[in-house]
Amino acid sequence: MIASLTGEVLTARLDSVVVEVGGVGLLVHTTPATAAAARPGESMRLATSLVVREDSLTLFGFADDDERALFEQVQTVSGVGPRLALAMLAVHPPQQLATAIAGGDVKALTKVPGIGKKGAERIVLELRDKVVSASGDGGQAAPQAVVPATAGGDQVAEALIGLGWSAKQAEDAVAKVAARPEAEGANTPTVLRLALRELGR
């Protein structure tokens, strides 16, 4: 089990980073907020969870141990795998997600693509009394270099599709966000957060 790693960031995308540890570049899947904190050329520490499948080894990284614990805990619910767990943390920062589960907020949980009303009710039923206390801001650190919203549109749409939305939903959300004043000159992670909010309405 790889519980954490620290190393130089080689590359950072909207939903993953490559961190060099002992001369080996490890691809780590993250939430957009955690990826936004990564700076190529700088050192980064990630709490990690290794998911072992018959045909793959997939590493997921988090801003802190609480976020990782929540990621692992929601997967104890039937039907919730690592991709869906990561999507939950992409749509809701850890503290908000923990609060939604503990408070039985089914509506908030159904904003995550792939979670319907019955699935959300099952998550609440199984975890509301067990959910860990998440802390912090979900790894939302200083933003990356500012780029025009339209320049990152393809990247944002690709990240949204990876989280479970259809191509049309992703493109429509990016188009709506790009037309807003607050998206003018915004960095790509900010555009992604705005698009996630738009899809959550």
Side-chain angles (χ1 to χ4, degrees):
M1 174 67 178
I2 301 173
S4 69
L5 58 86
T6 303
E8 181 186 337
V9 176
L10 298 181
T11 60
R13 299 185 63 194
L14 286 179
D15 56 358
S16 65
V17 296
V18 175
V19 180
E20 184 174 25
V21 180
V24 178
L26 299 174
L27 173 65
V28 187
H29 297 275
T30 68
T31 63
T34 301
R39 297 287 179 280
E42 294 185 10
S43 180
M44 183 179 202
R45 179 194 181 275
L46 291 169
T48 58
S49 179
L50 179 65
V51 176
V52 180
R53 294 284 185 265
E54 195 175 303
D55 59 349
S56 67
L57 295 172
T58 309
L59 201 55
F60 294 87
F62 308 92
D64 55 44
D65 294 342
D66 285 339
E67 188 176 14
R68 179 188 60 203
L70 191 54
F71 168 81
E72 292 176 345
Q73 191 163 33
V74 295
Q75 289 180 71
T76 63
V77 178
S78 175
V80 179
R83 294 289 178 183
L84 187 54
L86 193 66
M88 291 170 74
L89 287 164
V91 174
H92 300 294
Q95 186 61 58
Q96 286 182 20
L97 180 58
T99 300
I101 294 171
D105 191 346
V106 170
K107 186 177 178 184
L109 295 175
T110 56
K111 290 179 179 179
V112 180
I115 297 181
K117 189 175 180 219
K118 286 186 179 177
E121 288 171 345
R122 186 168 60 246
I123 290 168
V124 168
L125 180 66
E126 293 189 27
L127 296 181
R128 75 182 311 163
D129 296 326
K130 307 180 201 174
V131 72
V132 295
S133 174
S135 61
D137 60 3
Q140 296 185 30
Q144 292 177 321
V146 172
V147 296
T150 50
D154 288 345
Q155 276 186 302
V156 171
E158 184 184 324
L160 292 172
I161 292 166
L163 288 170
W165 278 281
S166 70
K168 186 177 188 315
Q169 287 174 313
E171 288 163 9
D172 288 350
V174 170
K176 284 179 184 175
V177 167
R180 290 190 198 165
E182 62 264 40
E184 184 78 31
N187 58 61
T188 305
T190 296
V191 175
L192 178 57
R193 283 195 288 274
L194 291 171
L196 284 167
R197 247 182 258 142
E198 179 67 36
L199 286 161
R201 289 186 178 187

